[in-house]
Amino acid sequence: MARSTMGTVAAIIVGDAARPDPARLDSAFEVCRVVAAHTEGAQRAAALTVCGWLSWALGRSTRAAFFTEQATRTLGAPTFTATLAEIIDRGPVPAWAFAG
């Protein structure tokens, strides 16, 4: 049975989906890092959170934790940031992070 759009998005967010292209994740990370450096408040927190997820998706959980901590310091713990921090704190990175 096909997943709903929300189910597909949720599967990607928690690492239970097909492996994304690492080069695209790296490119997206660089863009979000620049955005975070040039914004404030909610926009900065959002960009930092995305940097955290992209880092986690690439298997870089220490870097992911740094970015989610920075997002939390910027604006408290928005729901997605708190959820991502919990995923990172549990330890496992997505299986695709180490796939060839």
Side-chain angles (χ1 to χ4, degrees):
M1 176 180 250
R3 289 184 181 170
S4 68
T5 301
M6 288 302 293
T8 300
V9 170
I12 292 168
I13 289 171
V14 299
D16 187 26
R19 181 181 189 216
D21 179 358
R24 291 180 75 162
L25 294 177
D26 276 326
S27 294
F29 172 80
E30 291 303 322
V31 169
C32 286
R33 193 172 57 85
V34 170
V35 169
H38 291 91
T39 57
E40 297 178 1
Q43 289 88 8
R44 179 176 170 80
L48 290 167
T49 299
V50 174
C51 283
W53 184 85
L54 291 164
S55 297
W56 175 80
L58 288 163
R60 300 171 185 148
S61 57
T62 300
R63 184 168 79 170
F66 170 80
F67 283 107
T68 56
E69 287 170 16
Q70 294 302 309
T72 299
R73 287 183 184 161
T74 299
L75 196 66
T79 304
F80 183 70
T81 304
T83 300
L84 179 59
E86 185 177 331
I87 291 168
I88 293 166
D89 288 345
R90 288 185 182 179
V93 295
W96 71 57
F98 302 107

